[in-house]
């Protein structure tokens, strides 16, 4: 039971005084944010409405000690729908600031830096959508060097820095290159010859799918069920995590086409992952054209959690595009 | 409506526009334009034989565009008067209707708009409301998913006189829906669109749910709501009945609707607040309870009749509690949703009340008005001297002042409400307001600032809001320093900049001018007139060498006693921080320039009398 003395009016005032927390009390608990939020797919305990409600009641300890306050990635899908116009991720940030001051820390996971390989080039600091990485002087093997340092309270584990790091120094639990390649190649899938080589009756496709760009739980399960010898689905935390090297590797092993599916521009769960993912594919397409590979074989597609069967439509479209390539120009790397 | 049409004392002018309204309570002259129907009213028998021969079909707005209508038709079956009209924009002029009309010879393609002048004693505005178009809410998919419809569309689909003769079918495949959802608060209680509660929709959705459940007991009906608002007589019992009938109520505002493109079925994602869990509810059809919004031409009518609008856009009543039927202009009354969203019983009640209010006017020989009206001294008005001015008319929220070059401005007493905006705006000081003359106000000021004026805050407050706010501070026992001295005028528009300057000339430490919040102004736009004036006044003070920090403008409502106390406390602290000797030096330096500016004002007969009396006293004081 919650006793009246647990309802701390000062806690409410502290949130209201914190930049971003001003609108806390206008929430009337309609639940629009909770039903919009995609975080609950992976973290069913996360409910922004409940956090705001508890905070509005002044339940200091319950709010500050909860692991859920760190789960909001500020994708702001809820903000344009909120009938009270509350910028919910700002309120979350205000609450987190109070939690940090009270000595709490985000539970993670967070990106990690391998101090020995990090060159301190700062590519990751620019790529990070949350400004969670900075360069700091650190002692490495008895020598002071300025290298990357991750603020785990800000990191949202999108993996964009892992894809960006040219030295392979960034890593993220379960999302490292080796782990991804294992998933792509499981069961020797990568080694089978493809349609463009005349060895298969239908194009063989590899799809990197951002986990936020597809619909609710059962749709995701359905997606896994689509895996067969002609299709391999690899779920990524964000389309910004995709690495051109992985795409090229797949093509060189005989995969006919690669689909990268991310959220619509402006709806990215990690703010600018879509921008980065799409940019990478666009550059890759140019590179492919330059070396004589048909750029149609790699495509970036946008989808959202609002769309049903968007993935099937995109796969069908790519299959069609690849089937149209044959036999006119079977792409070969020149020279 | 048929009874009204047959009544000997009621004339219905349908398909007409009010172009202009002159005059005042008891003596309005309305100019009404009859739009051409291209059908001669006296000859049309309403037989409808012209309709089947017309080859043109256009969407029928009465049927929410679900069904067609012909280019010659009546708006709906029960239309009064039953006169057909040609939709000339869509008519191809095949003249088949002329043939069908035959000997009745009622069709006339040469008809022109006709304007006539009507004398009336009172006006009732009952122009209704419009429906919010939910296609601007992307997450609900209205307009994209055929099976998402609005409550009004449901009304037509379920109506036995509607396009489906009462058989409820869903638009995507014409099949009857078995699972139906009602979504409440679409476009209302939503700061993105309309902040207000439309009020009628809870009961309307429950009504439709009960009707459908009675007819199709096997139908699964779910109502998604944030709060059920059922405060009127018998409403709560009705809501209970719906629950007992097995209609499902889920407390939660749906976040999104998605469609299965193969089946056309809809999935509603919502957090059930009571479970604290997110549900995905599959339904065959969803009905959006859309907000009531003001008619698109509300502003046009507001301009024609000189009416005010509330922040929500509906017409504004004279007083929300004490005069909810009356417009701010005498002799104009409201009925129904033109004044604000409401349900049928409330509309009927307001209609009856408006008729009774109007009857009071029609049966009165004379009409009493407020005694605080403004008067023009013709010899001072420069309009009479052939110059162009008209500042008074521009400030008048009631169109009560007629300005013609070559004649002194004329105030129609029956239209004047006594805000005093014209009095303050007149650069010639040619207008005075009974009971609030400048001399009377200055006499109060003199007493307040007689001793140690530099330690006082002179407050000019409006009668309706800020005076109420100060009163509220008192009755609520809010503590504030005793430095303020308040003078009440009717409206902030009456607060002449000369009065503020005079207060500084008399050495007041600080001056506060305070009126209603813009949307609360009792005199439609008086606050706006005042706000613009005070904006300029800051610059004037600076030029006169008076620290503008000594002048403050605050909008304080009658409920904001706390704000009044806070403002006075803040001003008092600021005043305490000023060096008093420096203040006196500042006043001394500015006095001459202020006197220069107030020369003409001070020479007005009644002002001169007050000032002469004061000089007399001063002389006596010196002698003693």
């Amino acid at each position: 039971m919650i006793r009246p003395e647990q309802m701390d009016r000062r806690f409410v005032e502290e949130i209201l005084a914190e930049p971003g927390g001003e609108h806390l009390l206008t929430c009337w608990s309609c639940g629009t944010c909770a039903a919009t939020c995609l975080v609950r797919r992976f973290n069913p305990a996360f409910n922004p409405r409940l956090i705001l409600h508890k905070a509005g009641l002044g339940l200091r300890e319950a709010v500050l000690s909860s692991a859920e306050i760190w789960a909001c990635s500020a994708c702001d899908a809820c903000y344009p729908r909120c009938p009270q116009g509350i910028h919910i991720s700002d309120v979350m940030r205000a609450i987190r600031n109070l939690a940090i001051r009270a000595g709490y820390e985000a539970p993670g996971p967070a990106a990690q830096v391998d101090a020995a390989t990090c060159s301190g080039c700062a590519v990751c600091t620019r790529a990070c959508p949350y400004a969670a990485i900075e360069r700091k002087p650190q002692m490495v093997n008895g020598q002071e060097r300025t290298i990357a340092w991750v603020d785990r309270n800000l990191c949202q584990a999108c993996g964009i820095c892992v894809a960006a790091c040219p030295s392979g120094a960034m890593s993220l639990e379960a999302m490292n290159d080796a782990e991804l390649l294992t998933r792509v190649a499981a069961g020797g899938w990568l080694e089978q010859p493809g349609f463009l080589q005349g060895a298969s009756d239908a194009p063989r496709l590899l799809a990197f799918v951002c986990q936020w760009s597809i619909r609710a739980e059962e749709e995701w399960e359905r997606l896994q069920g689509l895996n067969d010898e002609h299709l391999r689905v690899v779920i990524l935390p964000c389309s910004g995590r995709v690495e051109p090297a992985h795409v090229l590797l797949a093509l060189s092993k005989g995969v006919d086409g690669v689909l990268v599916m991310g959220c619509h521009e402006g709806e990215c769960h990690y703010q600018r992952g879509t921008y980065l993912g799409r940019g990478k594919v666009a550059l890759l397409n140019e590179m492919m054209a330059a070396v004589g590979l048909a750029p149609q074989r790699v495509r970036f597609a946008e989808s959202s959690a609002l769309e049903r069967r968007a993935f099937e439509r995109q796969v069908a479209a790519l299959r069609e595009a690849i089937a149209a390539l044959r036999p006119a120009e079977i792409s070969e790397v020149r020279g | 409506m048929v009874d009204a049409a047959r009544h000997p004392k009621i004339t219905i002018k349908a398909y007409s526009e009010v172009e202009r309204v002159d005059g005042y309570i008891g003596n309005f002259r309305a100019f009404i334009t009859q739009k051409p129907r291209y059908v001669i009213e006296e000859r049309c028998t309403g037989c409808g034989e012209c309709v089947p021969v017309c080859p043109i079909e256009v969407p029928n707005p009465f049927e929410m565009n679900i069904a067609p209508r012909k280019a010659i038709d009546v708006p709906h079956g029960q239309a009064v008067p039953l006169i057909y009209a040609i939709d000339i924009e869509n008519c191809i002029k095949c003249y088949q209707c002329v043939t069908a009309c035959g000997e009745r010879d009622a069709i006339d393609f040469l008809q022109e708009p006709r304007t006539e002048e009507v004398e009336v004693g009172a006006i009732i505005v009952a122009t209704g409301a419009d429906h919010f178009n939910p296609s601007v809410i992307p997450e609900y998919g209205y307009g994209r998913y055929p099976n998402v419809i609005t409550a009004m569309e449901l009304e037509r689909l379920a109506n036995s006189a509607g396009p489906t003769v009462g058989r409820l079918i869903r638009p995507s495949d014409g099949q009857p829906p078995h699972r139906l959802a009602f979504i409440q608060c679409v476009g209302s209680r939503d700061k993105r669109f309309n902040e207000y509660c439309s009020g009628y929709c809870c009961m309307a959705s429950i009504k439709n749910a009960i009707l459908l459940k009675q007819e199709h007991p096997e139908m699964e009906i779910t109502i998604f709501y944030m709060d059920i608002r059922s405060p009127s007589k018998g409403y709560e019992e009705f809501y209970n009945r719906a629950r007992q009938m097995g209609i499902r109520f889920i407390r939660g505002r749906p976040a999104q609707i998605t469609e299965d493109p193969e089946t056309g079925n809809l999935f509603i994602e919502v957090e059930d607040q009571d479970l604290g869990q997110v549900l995905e509810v599959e339904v065959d059809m969803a009905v959006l309870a859309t907000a009531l919004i003001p008619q698109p031409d509300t502003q046009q009518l507001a301009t024609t009749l000189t009416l005010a609008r509330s922040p929500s856009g509906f017409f504004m009543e004279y007083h929300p509690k004490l005069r909810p039927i009356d417009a701010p202009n005498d002799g104009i009354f409201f009925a129904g949703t033109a004044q604000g969203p409401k349900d049928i019983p409330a509309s009927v009640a307001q209609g009856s009340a408006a008729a009774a209010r109007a009857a009071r006017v029609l049966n009165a020989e004379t009409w009493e008005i407020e005694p605080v009206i403004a008067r023009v001294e013709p010899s001072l008005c420069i309009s009479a001297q052939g110059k162009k001015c008209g500042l008074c008319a521009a400030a008048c929220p009631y169109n009560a002042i007629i300005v013609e070059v070559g004649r002194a401005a004329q105030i129609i007493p029956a239209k004047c409400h006594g805000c005093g905006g014209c009095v303050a705006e007149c650069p010639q000081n040619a207008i005075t307001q009974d009971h609030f003359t400048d001399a009377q106000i200055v006499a109060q000021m003199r007493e307040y600032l007689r001793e140690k004026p530099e330690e006082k805050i002179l407050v000019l407050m409006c009668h309706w809001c800020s005076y109420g706010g100060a009163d509220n501070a008192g009755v609520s026992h809010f503590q504030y320093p005793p430095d303020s001295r308040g003078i009440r005028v009717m409206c902030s528009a009456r607060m002449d900049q000369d009065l503020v300057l005079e207060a500084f000339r008399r050495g007041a430490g600080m001056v506060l001018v305070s009126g209603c919040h813009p949307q609360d102004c009792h005199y439609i736009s008086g606050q706006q007139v005042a706000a613009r004036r005070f904006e300029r006044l800051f610059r004037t003070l600076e030029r006169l060498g008076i620290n503008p920090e000594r002048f403050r403008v605050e909008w304080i409502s009658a409920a904001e006693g706390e704000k009044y106390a806070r403002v006075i406390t803040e001003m008092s602290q600021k005043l305490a921080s000023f060096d008093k000797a420096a203040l006196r030096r500042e006043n001394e330096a500015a006095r001459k320039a202020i006197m220069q500016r107030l020369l003409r004002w001070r020479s007005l007969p009644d002002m001169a009398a007050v000032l002469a009396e004061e000089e007399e006293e001063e002389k006596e004081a010196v002698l003693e």
Side-chain angles (χ1 to χ4, degrees), chain A residues 297-308:
Chain A
R297 292 174 64 185
V298 180
R299 131 180 336 199
F300 188 87
E302 291 180 10
S303 166
S304 83
L306 270 173
E307 292 162 53
R308 284 173 187 267

Side-chain angles (χ1 to χ4, degrees), chain A residues 26 28-32 34-36 40 47 49 80-85 215-216 218 305-309 313, chain B residues 139 145 189-192 226 252-262 267 269-271 273 276 278 280:
Chain A
T26 50
W28 55 33
S29 260
C30 70
T32 304
T36 300
R40 71 161 194 277
N47 182 330
R49 175 185 69 83
R81 293 183 182 175
C82 175
Q84 288 289 78
R215 267 201 52 77
E218 70 281 1
L306 270 173
E307 292 162 53
R308 284 173 187 267
R309 299 180 193 276
R313 277 204 307 278
Chain B
E139 58 268 28
Y145 308 147
R189 302 188 68 200
D190 189 330
K191 283 185 179 163
R192 298 174 298 170
M226 286 196 276
R253 186 177 175 278
Q256 65 191 32
I257 301 176
T258 52
E259 185 200 45
D260 185 331
E262 281 166 26
F267 298 84
E269 268 175 79
V270 61
E271 191 209 4
Q273 286 171 46
V278 177
E280 189 179 62

Side-chain angles (χ1 to χ4, degrees), chain B residues 320-533:
Chain B
K321 297 188 193 84
L322 303 175
R323 290 177 72 176
I325 315 289
D326 304 1
N329 273 326
D330 288 342
I332 302 179
F333 308 96
F334 297 119
T337 50
Q339 179 250 346
K342 53 178 71 67
D343 63 3
I344 295 170
S347 298
V348 171
Q350 201 183 13
S352 306
R357 295 292 282 176
R360 266 177 85 235
V361 177
L362 302 187
N363 289 317
E365 286 295 319
T366 57
W367 194 255
E368 241 175 56
I369 57 168
E370 295 286 326
V372 290
I373 56 167
R375 292 177 193 281
V376 179
E377 171 50 49
S379 65
L380 293 176
C381 177
I382 59 164
S383 204
Q385 298 152 20
K387 288 179 186 150
K388 258 181 121 172
C389 176
L391 285 172
C392 51
C396 180
Y398 300 94
N399 277 340
I401 310 181
I402 303 166
V403 177
E404 288 164 17
V405 178
R407 273 180 61 187
Q410 254 187 303
I411 295 175
I412 303 164
K415 281 182 119 174
C416 174
H417 282 63
C419 64
C422 56
V423 183
E425 286 292 292
C426 180
Q428 302 297 311
N429 303 110
I431 312 181
T432 54
Q433 182 185 9
D434 288 356
H435 306 288
F436 288 93
T437 66
D438 286 345
Q440 284 170 322
I441 295 168
V442 167
Q444 291 178 61
M445 205 183 277
R446 182 186 67 194
E447 293 310 313
Y448 286 153
L449 301 176
R450 195 184 278 280
E451 283 164 15
K452 294 190 183 158
E454 63 281 357
E455 289 173 18
K456 306 259 167 62
I457 302 165
L458 189 88
V459 187
L460 290 171
M461 47 179 87
C462 91
H463 172 82
W464 301 98
C465 293
S466 301
Y467 189 78
D471 192 38
N472 181 285
V475 294
S476 311
H477 298 280
F478 293 132
Q479 297 294 318
Y480 59 90
D483 311 333
S484 64
R485 298 289 182 272
I487 296 177
R488 180 181 67 100
V489 293
M490 293 309 286
C491 177
S492 49
R494 174 68 186 88
M495 296 170 192
D496 200 325
Q497 61 170 354
D498 293 349
L499 292 173
V500 176
L501 293 178
E502 173 71 6
F504 282 121
R505 188 192 69 84
R506 289 173 180 274
M510 289 178 98
V511 175
L512 168 67
V513 289
S514 177
C516 305
H517 291 277
Q519 71 274 20
D520 297 342
C521 180
H522 197 73
Y523 299 105
I524 306 178
S525 55
Q527 185 271 353
Q528 293 165 31
V529 172
R532 282 194 296 271
R533 182 189 307 144

Side-chain angles (χ1 to χ4, degrees), chain B residues 17-20 35 295-307 309 315:
Chain B
E17 291 283 346
V18 178
E19 300 287 343
R20 202 176 97 218
K35 292 187 236 176
Q295 290 279 19
D297 57 356
T298 303
Q299 187 51 47
Q300 202 182 319
L301 189 60
T303 310
T304 308
L305 294 178
T306 329
L307 299 173
R309 295 174 74 183
F315 289 118

Side-chain angles (χ1 to χ4, degrees), chain B residues 28 42 127 161 227 254 265 271 287-288 291 343 378 404 534 574 599:
Chain B
F28 289 112
E42 300 77 32
T127 46
D227 303 283
N265 290 352
E271 191 209 4
V287 183
L288 308 180
D343 63 3
E404 288 164 17
F534 299 149
K574 173 143 268 171
L599 212 55

Side-chain angles (χ1 to χ4, degrees), chain A residues 107-118 124 132-133 138 147-152 155-163 165 167-176:
Chain A
Q112 284 175 327
V113 186
D114 178 13
T117 38
C118 177
C124 55
I133 313 178
Q138 287 166 58
I147 56 168
W149 173 84
V150 178
D151 183 343
R152 57 183 293 115
C155 177
Q156 285 293 332
C158 61
I160 288 172
C161 57
V162 184
C165 178
S167 331
M170 300 302 290
S171 64
L172 186 62
E173 205 181 303
M175 269 302 142
N176 294 324

